[in-house]
Structures are given as C-alpha cells and as structure tokens.
Amino acid sequence: MGKTSDLTAVQKTIIDTLHKEGKTQKVIAKEAGCSQSSVSKHINRQAKGRKKCGRKKCTSSRDNCTLQRIVTTNPFKNVGEIHKEWTAAGVSASRTTTRRLMKDMGFRCRIPCVKPLLNKKQRKKRLAWAKDKKDWTDAEWSKVMFSDESKFCISFGNQGPRVWRKSGEAQNPRCMRSSVKFPPSVMVWGAMSSAGVGPLCFLRSRVNAAVYQEVLEHFMLPAADQLYGDADFTFQQDLAPAHSAKTTSTWFKDHGIPVLDWPANSPDLNPIENLWGIVKRRMQYARPNNAEELKTTIRATWALITPEQCHRLIESMPRRITAVIEAKGAPTKY
C-alpha cells in the first residue's frame, strides 16, 4: 500500500468517484487498491482545497516578474550576474533558486544565432531580389554554381557568450548576435552545385582582385568542367571587394561566364554556407596540431560531401526565397 503521494491518477479518480457516491473509505480502498489511510488523506486534502504541501515559496509573483524583466532586458548575462542584479532589487533568494525559476519560466541557456547586419536599403534589395527569383525552378537553380570563402580555425570551441531564451525565440533579434565581415587571414575557397563539390583552394594571403582571379582560373574553371562538363552554368559570388572589382567583372566577360546578381550580406541565401557548417560540425572533434594538419582534415572532410547532400541544399532555394519574402528582406533562419 502506497502513501498518498504515490496514488496514481487512476486511483485518485476512483476515490473521488466512489466518495461522491457515498461509499465508505473501506470499500473505496478495496476498489482503488490502496490503503484506507491513503483514501482518508486524499479525501481530506481535497476537502481542504490543498493541491500539495511543502515549503512556502521564498519569492512572490512580483519578485518573479522582476527576474523575468532582468533576463529579458539583457539575455546575454550569466546566472551569477542575473542573480546579483535580482538580489540587489531586494529579493532574498539563492543562486540555485534563481536558475530554477529561470528554467520554470521557460528560459534555456543556448548558443545565440548569428545574423548579418542589414540596413534598410539592403533589406529592400534582398526583398526585390527574392521576388524576382521566386518563380525559378529547381532546374534553373541546378545550373548555378555557388561559391564562398570560409575561415577555419584549429579550435572550434570558442563560440562566444551564451544567451537565455525561451523555446521558439532563436530568431528573435533580442536573442541573436550580430556578425560583421572582417578581412580574413586564412581562408578556404570552395564551390558547389547540385552535382557535387569542386576542389578547394587554400588562400595564403589577403584576397584582392588579382588573387581572386587566380582562384577563378585555377580552381573555379576546373570545378566547372567537373560539375557541368560542356553545359552552360551561372556563377554565384557575394559582393566582397575582390569579387565586385572591375577587373574581375572583365575576367568573367572575357571567359563568357554569366554571374548571378546577388544581394549584399545574404549568407542565409547561399546553400554553400550550410555546407561549410556541415564540414565544421564533422570536424568539431578533430584536434589538428598545426595548419598543415588542419588543411588535411578539411580536405578529407570536404571529400565526404555527397552529391545527394548538395542536391538537397540546392532544392532549398525556393524555401529560402519564400522565407526572405515573408520576412520582408530581414535575415532568415537559413
């Protein structure tokens, strides 16, 4: 025979039903399969309106509202900082209570999403671009070769401060970090299409127009032969200074390669960004000791990317465009 707290929901329902019917506690105990004392305690508790017993809460509803306001105002503070500010407001509670109440309110400590900085003009151009490409088919997107550079570090562990947020708030601007493009030091250039990935290029110096054109000559053209053969294709690149230089535009014209117009600060529209993410996640447990070992690891991981993965990412382009239109040009989850 269990205690009152051990009664199941079914047993409690049986006790309540038979008690209303006027049955004795002895009969109810037999029907519910518990002790008579458990029946008596449950009936008395219901009569007094007590749902549960235990220690009285040390904080009031007003105190809890203060805590929620502190977390919402600055979600990037750690528990210690939040607890200090809360107790400074006159609340007497432990750090453990602070963390527990934050959890009860639905806050979880997560790595913040990173969004590009977009001004009003850039959002407007993104929206116009998305509306112009909204009717493109998968076949049209499969003719686009997507390219990008990405920085790889020996250690992937430092992801910055965490943020306190509730479920469904990952894309809330209040819970996101802003990202700004800085001149890269060690970068990797790559390209992909729905047919797979091209060869990687490890950049040893800062990328200017001349360096970038060498990358196009020695890596992009072989990638085009590998992925498209003699078929026509359109090349995609972002608006980095080396990409939009006049000499680079002349290089594309001389080689007869059309370039896809692209909105500024739009990594969420480029599927190769997701590919870089896949590579880095697979490398998160790798521990290269130097740059050469890091390059070897990157090459090996890049070689594991399958055409099926690339095809699925290219197929996501209509969904990305729809998301940009719905967000009115603002950054999306992609």
Side-chain angles (χ1 to χ4, degrees):
M1 300 295 179
K3 299 179 181 179
T4 309
S5 59
D6 295 331
L7 293 175
T8 65
V10 176
Q11 287 175 318
K12 291 178 181 179
T13 302
I14 294 173
I15 293 172
D16 293 337
T17 303
L18 296 180
H19 179 63
K20 289 179 181 179
E21 294 177 358
K23 302 293 184 181
T24 64
Q25 292 184 4
K26 185 176 181 179
V27 173
I28 295 174
K30 186 176 181 180
E31 291 291 332
C34 61
S35 66
Q36 188 173 338
S37 63
S38 295
V39 174
S40 177
K41 289 179 181 179
H42 176 73
I43 293 174
N44 291 335
R45 176 172 292 175
Q46 292 296 99
K48 293 179 181 179
R50 292 173 58 195
K51 297 298 180 181
K52 61 181 179 180
C53 58
R55 181 181 175 184
K56 185 180 178 181
K57 292 183 178 180
C58 64
T59 60
S60 64
S61 298
R62 186 173 183 176
D63 295 335
N64 295 345
C65 288
T66 302
L67 175 60
Q68 183 159 354
R69 184 173 65 251
I70 292 171
V71 179
T72 304
T73 302
N74 195 338
F76 288 92
K77 287 186 175 182
N78 58 41
V79 176
E81 293 170 332
I82 293 172
H83 172 69
K84 185 177 180 180
E85 184 174 346
W86 194 34
T87 53
V91 179
S92 178
S94 66
R95 180 168 173 162
T96 302
T97 299
T98 303
R99 179 183 286 275
R100 177 178 54 78
L101 286 174
M102 290 169 63
K103 186 176 180 181
D104 292 343
M105 291 174 185
F107 291 106
R108 298 293 184 272
C109 191
R110 298 287 186 262
I111 296 173
C113 296
V114 180
K115 67 172 183 178
L117 290 174
L118 290 173
N119 56 39
K120 186 176 180 180
K121 184 177 180 181
Q122 290 172 334
R123 289 196 297 269
K124 187 176 180 180
K125 287 186 176 181
R126 276 167 53 92
L127 180 59
W129 184 91
K131 289 180 177 179
D132 182 60
K133 301 293 188 294
K134 67 178 181 179
D135 295 326
W136 275 35
T137 63
D138 290 344
E140 288 175 295
W141 285 116
S142 66
K143 296 179 181 178
V144 178
M145 180 192 292
F146 291 90
S147 70
D148 191 29
E149 297 91 4
S150 184
K151 184 177 180 180
F152 283 78
C153 301
I154 289 180
S155 174
F156 297 97
N158 184 15
Q159 296 172 306
R162 288 181 170 247
V163 62
W164 290 98
R165 69 183 187 219
K166 296 182 180 180
S167 177
E169 289 186 338
Q171 299 301 317
N172 188 321
R174 178 179 60 81
C175 301
M176 300 176 73
R177 287 192 299 117
S178 296
S179 65
V180 181
K181 282 192 173 182
F182 292 97
S185 53
V186 177
M187 299 290 287
V188 182
W189 179 93
M192 65 166 289
S193 74
S194 62
V197 297
L200 291 176
C201 174
F202 292 93
L203 306 170
R204 297 184 178 181
S205 61
R206 183 173 177 175
V207 180
N208 55 29
V211 172
Y212 184 59
Q213 288 162 34
E214 289 184 9
V215 173
L216 296 175
E217 188 77 38
H218 300 292
F219 292 90
M220 190 275 282
L221 292 180
D225 291 337
Q226 173 187 330
L227 299 173
Y228 292 98
D230 296 330
D232 294 332
F233 72 97
T234 300
F235 186 70
Q236 179 277 335
Q237 59 182 2
D238 59 27
L239 301 183
H243 302 177
S244 55
K246 290 183 178 180
T247 54
T248 303
S249 299
T250 301
W251 187 94
F252 281 110
K253 289 179 181 179
D254 292 343
H255 287 78
I257 299 174
V259 178
L260 181 69
D261 60 302
W262 196 255
N265 280 1
S266 299
D268 53 335
L269 286 170
N270 195 344
I272 200 173
E273 293 286 353
N274 302 86
L275 211 57
W276 292 130
I278 291 172
V279 173
K280 290 179 180 179
R281 283 193 296 274
R282 290 180 177 178
M283 291 176 56
Q284 63 181 333
Y285 299 113
R287 293 294 179 266
N289 296 313
N290 52 54
E292 290 303 318
E293 289 185 10
L294 177 61
K295 290 179 182 180
T296 301
T297 305
I298 295 171
R299 288 192 187 96
T301 310
W302 184 257
L304 297 176
I305 299 296
T306 64
E308 290 75 21
Q309 286 177 299
C310 297
H311 185 69
R312 284 195 298 270
L313 288 173
I314 298 298
E315 284 185 328
S316 70
M317 285 305 298
R319 297 194 297 275
R320 295 170 191 262
I321 290 173
T322 300
V324 170
I325 294 174
E326 291 177 350
K328 297 182 180 179
T332 64
K333 66 179 181 178
Y334 290 95

